[in-house]
Amino acid sequence: MAYWLVDSPGSGDGSRDSDFWLKHLREQGINDVTLCKLDDAEQWIRLVSGDDCLMAAGGDGTVNGVASLCLRTGATLAVLPSGTANDFARNLGLPEDPSEVVRLVAEGGSQRIDVAEFSDRIYLNVAHIGLGTLPSRKASSPTKQALGKFSYLATLFQQVGAKRGFRARIQTDRSSLEGRWLSIAVATGAYFGGGQEIPEASADDGLLDIIAIRPRPLAQLLLTFLTVRLNRKTPRRTSTVIQIKGKWCQIDTQQPRTVTVDGDVAGKTPFRATCRPGAIRVIGKRVVHTGEQPATG
């Protein structure tokens, strides 16, 4: 097995760079590592085989890019969490201790997980339409470094007062909803938004989870947010939040709306995503399943 370390300088607070991870890899006996950049992938990807391990040192956007390369080559994905939110790493139950993360890489145990396909591309964690796109588009690097995952929250509340929502139809193979929404998230796993838990979800259940938020007065939105944070999971259905599931999801809006996937701008609506079950192998002991019954209200 050959090891490839795909570095993303500047992810998170910048402290978990290639030197940081190379040190931990050597401590686990992984000394022969090829350091490479995602932007230069076409220059080195032809050398990667299905027996290799592609290690992504970055946030969800970097992990997304490396996962696409794993689909092309059959290589195994290893996530070395280095970003601001690291939601995808939470889906894999990766330990916080970097030495423990690298030990899992050395052991080589892997699981198969789903990906979401859209417009001949994929994502691993979440697509956003509406207010949820703003943290990715407007949170500056200095803000992200100073506030960490809370920079997303700060950016949201700077913008929420001016937003009245947008009209959209949400369709899946199981249901159809139409109305005015503040934000729509289409997730493949159990976490999004800096650690927010989705009820009864996992990255290997073969389903997409759609979390839609209705426009409400700021005080009500804030109360809902605080309730979610205290309970550490999104309520399945309230007057503000709705969760539905499906093997595919189609979102049509009256006016084109920006779509972000795994933190990067990916185009405009209409948006269609399809779950591709067990598409890639990832290093890890287990895939997290949030099996508790959600609270309703």
Side-chain angles (χ1 to χ4, degrees):
M1 175 183 285
Y3 294 92
W4 304 76
L5 176 56
V6 185
D7 186 26
S8 179
S11 293
D13 62 6
S15 64
R16 294 192 174 191
D17 57 8
S18 58
D19 290 337
F20 174 90
W21 288 110
L22 286 170
K23 174 178 177 292
H24 285 284
L25 288 163
R26 294 188 190 104
E27 290 174 353
Q28 292 293 331
I30 302 176
N31 297 301
D32 189 8
V33 177
T34 302
L35 184 62
C36 46
K37 303 294 184 186
L38 192 58
D39 290 344
D40 302 327
E42 294 306 320
Q43 300 177 23
W44 53 265
I45 193 61
R46 66 184 182 278
L47 304 175
V48 177
S49 78
D51 295 326
D52 292 351
C53 178
L54 294 182
M55 301 178 289
D60 288 339
T62 300
V63 174
N64 179 306
V66 177
S68 296
L69 299 178
C70 289
L71 277 177
R72 288 173 57 181
T73 61
T76 298
L77 171 67
V79 180
L80 308 180
S82 307
T84 301
N86 297 316
D87 281 316
F88 182 66
R90 288 186 177 88
N91 282 311
L92 302 178
L94 293 180
E96 293 186 6
D97 185 343
S99 296
E100 290 299 305
V101 173
V102 174
R103 183 177 61 80
L104 292 176
V105 176
E107 292 175 350
S110 64
Q111 308 286 331
R112 284 206 166 267
I113 62 160
D114 308 336
V115 302
E117 290 184 324
F118 74 103
S119 303
D120 297 323
R121 298 172 57 186
I122 69 162
Y123 66 91
L124 290 176
N125 199 50
V126 66
H128 278 295
I129 300 168
L131 192 62
T133 68
L134 292 176
S136 300
R137 294 156 56 198
K138 298 196 175 186
S140 64
S141 294
T143 300
K144 291 174 73 173
Q145 290 186 2
L147 298 178
K149 66 184 181 181
F150 296 105
S151 64
Y152 296 104
L153 175 61
T155 304
L156 278 178
F157 282 108
Q158 287 173 4
Q159 301 290 329
V160 69
K163 299 297 177 182
R164 297 180 57 251
F166 57 96
R167 292 202 64 83
R169 175 181 296 171
I170 306 170
Q171 293 178 287
T172 74
D173 55 302
R174 300 182 176 190
S175 61
S176 179
L177 293 173
E178 189 165 0
R180 183 170 290 277
W181 312 99
L182 193 63
S183 179
I184 301 172
V186 184
T188 60
Y191 297 95
F192 76 111
Q196 185 170 316
E197 181 180 307
I198 302 171
E200 300 179 349
S202 72
D204 63 354
D205 61 3
L207 295 171
L208 302 173
D209 282 270
I210 300 91
I211 309 296
I213 301 175
R214 299 185 188 276
R216 292 292 184 263
L218 180 58
Q220 186 173 344
L221 290 170
L222 181 58
L223 178 61
T224 299
F225 172 82
L226 292 175
T227 301
V228 166
R229 283 294 171 178
L230 288 173
N231 293 335
R232 298 192 61 81
K233 55 188 173 185
T234 302
R236 169 158 295 187
R237 187 175 291 265
T238 70
S239 62
T240 304
V241 181
I242 289 174
Q243 176 190 353
I244 57 177
K245 293 176 177 287
K247 295 179 181 179
W248 56 264
C249 175
Q250 172 82 28
I251 300 174
D252 296 288
T253 56
Q254 283 189 334
Q255 302 294 329
R257 309 288 303 189
T258 297
V259 179
T260 61
V261 299
D262 291 346
D264 294 326
V265 175
K268 301 280 188 179
T269 53
F271 176 76
R272 183 182 177 91
T274 303
C275 185
R276 182 173 167 184
I280 62 172
R281 290 175 302 173
V282 295
I283 295 291
K285 284 187 175 180
R286 63 189 178 92
V287 176
V288 174
H289 291 247
T290 54
E292 296 181 3
Q293 292 292 330
T296 59

